[in-house]
Amino acid sequence: VLALVFSIYMLAGKDTLLGQCRRVLKAYLPKPLCDAVLDVTALTAGTFSRFVTGQVTEAIILGCLTFLGMLLLRLDYAPLISVLIGVSALVPIVGAYVGAATSALLLLMVSPMKALIFLVFLVCLQQFEGNVIYPRVVGTSLGLPGIWVLAAVTIGGGVGGLVGVLLSVPVASVLYALLRRDVHKRLACKE
């Protein structure tokens, strides 16, 4: 709760806070280092913003595909379950399981066979979404090739667990952008 309140205060006063941070950096760091820190900070902020936009887009796509699949399979509560799956997709790793379990429980009350059909459908959809849609949507929003998105999520999850999965794609995107800039700069100097 304290973190939430602190975040709200930071967002409410972000312009003042950013100005103060810039002045402190300019006062205490040499100009080249200050410019580099501000550049990387701006790149990181933009990357995280695009990552959140990509995550929301991916969740909407997943919710829509769930809705269409449930309509085709003639399963009950398609609108409700589709929204539940879409919203739970915003929570990495655990969200898919929570959404699937809650939805299956709801369908189980109607028909155990429908719940089983739904779970099989959702497992297939999650595999398609995780391996095809997610790398494309999130990778495109970040300017990161799909293969690097998959690699970042795999390595981030293995190294840092849930936090690693949350941060791996934006961090990989920032590193990718910095490396790409450096490569272009070095190639320009050689020519």
Side-chain angles (χ1 to χ4, degrees):
V1 174
L2 183 61
L4 179 64
V5 171
F6 191 69
S7 299
I8 291 170
Y9 272 106
M10 284 181 65
L11 287 173
K14 73 175 182 173
D15 293 330
T16 304
L17 188 59
L18 285 172
Q20 291 170 340
C21 289
R22 283 189 186 106
R23 284 192 298 278
V24 167
L25 286 175
K26 288 179 182 179
Y28 290 103
L29 294 179
K31 183 165 177 28
L33 181 59
C34 178
D35 291 342
V37 168
L38 290 175
D39 182 47
V40 170
T41 304
L43 176 66
T44 304
T47 299
F48 273 84
S49 175
R50 288 189 307 276
F51 175 69
V52 169
T53 302
Q55 285 287 99
V56 170
T57 303
E58 181 264 335
I60 290 170
I61 291 170
L62 183 61
C64 290
L65 289 175
T66 302
F67 180 74
L68 292 173
M70 289 185 73
L71 285 181
L72 289 173
L73 294 170
R74 299 182 195 276
L75 298 173
D76 297 318
Y77 306 118
L80 174 68
I81 290 174
S82 300
V83 169
L84 179 64
I85 295 294
V87 170
S88 66
L90 293 172
V91 180
I93 300 174
V94 181
Y97 296 117
V98 170
T102 307
S103 301
L105 186 62
L106 187 63
L107 286 171
L108 188 63
M109 289 182 217
V110 175
S111 163
M113 191 61 179
K114 286 185 178 186
L116 182 62
I117 291 170
F118 171 75
L119 285 174
V120 169
F121 160 71
L122 194 61
V123 166
C124 294
L125 181 61
Q126 287 285 352
Q127 289 300 313
F128 177 72
E129 180 267 337
N131 294 317
V132 177
I133 296 172
Y134 184 83
R136 291 211 179 260
V137 170
V138 175
T140 301
S141 71
L142 293 175
L144 190 64
I147 187 73
W148 294 113
V149 173
L150 276 176
V153 168
T154 304
I155 294 169
V159 172
L162 181 59
V163 175
V165 170
L166 281 171
L167 298 177
S168 62
V169 176
V171 168
S173 181
V174 168
L175 294 174
Y176 181 81
L178 290 172
L179 180 63
R180 187 175 59 223
R181 280 185 192 173
D182 190 55
V183 166
H184 288 303
K185 186 171 74 172
R186 287 175 183 260
L187 288 175
C189 288
K190 286 188 176 187
E191 292 175 2

